[in-house]
Amino acid sequence: MPVTIEIPKEKWAGKVREVTLGATPAEGGTRARTLTVGGEGTLPFLHFDGAGVAIPHAPALALEVRDRRPDDWSPLLAEAWGEALADPGDWARAAEAAGADLIVLTLSLTQADGSPNTPANAVAVVKKVLAATGLPLAVFGPGQAEKDNELIVPVAEAAKGERLLIGICEDKNYRTIVAAAMANGHLVSSKTPMDVNLAKQLIILIHDMGMPLDRIVMDPTTGALGYGIEYGYSVMERLRLAALQGDSMTQQPMLVTPGEEAWKAKEAKVGEGVPGAWGDWRRRAVNWETLTGSALLQSGADIVVLRHPESLARLKTQIAGLMQA
């Protein structure tokens, strides 16, 4: 006789909060479309679990664009993007053509001539990128608290109503950036070292300023494949479990940057003077970014920021397969 086996389902008490980036003309912006992430009621890609549509939105894949040609990027990335690297508008257009769901524009400390970056230049670059692509846009400072504030605040004012994702909000400077986001209708990205409690605490502090929780994305920080990814993975996994168990301050969608991390790793960065067993440089480097991103998708990432268009194409195929319930 056939035996019916009932597959047990986890009944989670909570779910990830939905966050929408970008605003169309009807919503007061200029984006051709918006991007909604989050909403999961189960662990990554476990469609059979949870209640209803457990995973309403596929993870989003972003490509990083710089405000000028980077001095420290791999020649392999320069080869992939070609002349587009010379102009952030062209680069953003190429990123959209490559299949990105989101453009992440990173502002530099200095301009191409070596002089300090200025608010006027940052605003001009953001306007150029907004004109070049209809995708939602994230704009992050160079990662130094004072400079981030100096550049991001005027950008927030100039792009009022576009629902940019701006940052980076860290414990040293979140107040200024959050205030600029609230005044101009944007979202913020909170970034903390790899620690569950620190990630949660910064969300609480940002929310206490009056920022709605549906306008906050969490960056828990990660390492690259072979460079601390297992610890970052475990932190993300614990954050996601806490969210599903009902902890409201851990229910933010998570953004991770495997592109930045993987291309810093020796295995991706070095083409010569390494053991022959490491194989072809290009193949190895793209694999390093792809596998880093793939692991982070399994740990609960909602937005994955990449640098190489081939990595994006590979992960897009992978996500399409995993999203088939």
Side-chain angles (χ1 to χ4, degrees):
M1 293 180 60
V3 177
T4 300
I5 299 176
E6 182 178 348
I7 299 176
K9 293 185 177 182
E10 191 71 51
K11 295 181 180 179
W12 298 106
K15 69 175 186 176
V16 179
R17 199 167 275 109
E18 287 188 327
V19 171
T20 299
L21 294 76
T24 63
E27 298 163 327
T30 61
R31 303 301 80 207
R33 62 180 183 270
T34 60
L35 174 66
T36 300
V37 294
E40 300 96 321
T42 184
L43 291 170
F45 307 112
L46 300 187
H47 300 275
F48 58 84
D49 229 338
V53 181
I55 307 175
H57 309 290
L61 298 178
L63 283 169
E64 183 181 359
V65 169
R66 291 295 184 93
D67 55 352
R68 64 174 178 85
R69 182 186 291 273
D71 299 323
D72 56 350
W73 278 31
S74 166
L76 297 178
L77 292 169
E79 177 186 299
W81 293 110
E83 290 304 312
L85 288 184
D87 182 273
D90 292 342
W91 194 349
R93 203 174 289 111
E96 181 174 9
D101 301 307
L102 171 73
I103 302 296
V104 174
L105 173 63
T106 303
L107 303 174
S108 305
L109 273 172
T110 61
Q111 299 183 66
D113 61 3
S115 62
N117 206 349
T118 65
N121 181 66
V123 167
V125 170
V126 169
K127 287 183 175 180
K128 178 178 283 191
V129 171
L130 286 170
T133 172
L135 293 178
L137 177 65
V139 184
F140 297 155
Q144 294 187 6
E146 289 186 11
K147 198 66 177 180
D148 285 358
N149 291 347
E150 179 187 340
L151 299 178
I152 293 299
V153 171
V155 163
E157 294 170 351
K160 185 179 180 71
E162 293 285 3
R163 284 186 67 90
L164 303 181
L165 175 64
I166 61 173
I168 301 169
C169 289
E170 300 179 284
D171 59 348
K172 301 173 186 175
N173 71 329
Y174 72 90
R175 293 178 182 86
T176 301
I177 292 178
V178 170
M182 290 174 61
N184 297 286
H186 301 305
L187 296 78
V188 296
S189 176
S190 71
K191 185 173 184 176
T192 50
M194 297 180 192
D195 185 280
V196 171
N197 291 326
L198 291 177
K200 178 178 175 180
Q201 181 62 27
L202 187 52
I203 297 298
I204 292 171
L205 292 172
I206 291 172
H207 183 50
D208 282 348
M209 286 187 64
M211 175 63 83
L213 289 170
D214 64 0
R215 286 167 54 188
I216 307 172
V217 171
M218 179 193 307
D219 180 352
T221 307
T222 182
L225 180 69
Y227 291 83
I229 194 173
E230 64 282 350
Y231 188 73
Y233 186 107
S234 69
V235 168
M236 291 174 66
E237 190 174 50
R238 285 156 56 204
L239 283 166
R240 183 50 46 89
L241 285 168
L244 294 175
Q245 289 164 0
D247 185 342
S248 179
M249 293 300 154
T250 61
Q251 291 175 340
Q252 306 311 120
M254 290 187 284
L255 175 150
V256 291
T257 55
E260 177 183 358
E261 297 299 328
W263 286 96
K264 290 191 297 189
K266 179 173 64 175
E267 289 80 357
K269 195 172 184 178
V270 180
E272 298 179 357
V274 299
W278 284 18
D280 179 74
W281 179 23
R282 181 184 177 282
R283 182 181 178 209
R284 178 192 346 131
V286 174
N287 281 344
W288 217 263
E289 182 179 31
T290 303
L291 291 171
T292 300
S294 178
L296 296 173
L297 285 171
Q298 297 293 341
S299 65
D302 295 281
I303 301 175
V304 177
V305 186
L306 303 163
R307 287 186 173 177
H308 200 289
E310 187 172 329
S311 303
L312 182 137
R314 293 181 185 182
L315 289 177
K316 189 174 284 286
T317 299
Q318 183 179 128
I319 290 170
L322 290 168
M323 284 300 293
Q324 293 179 3

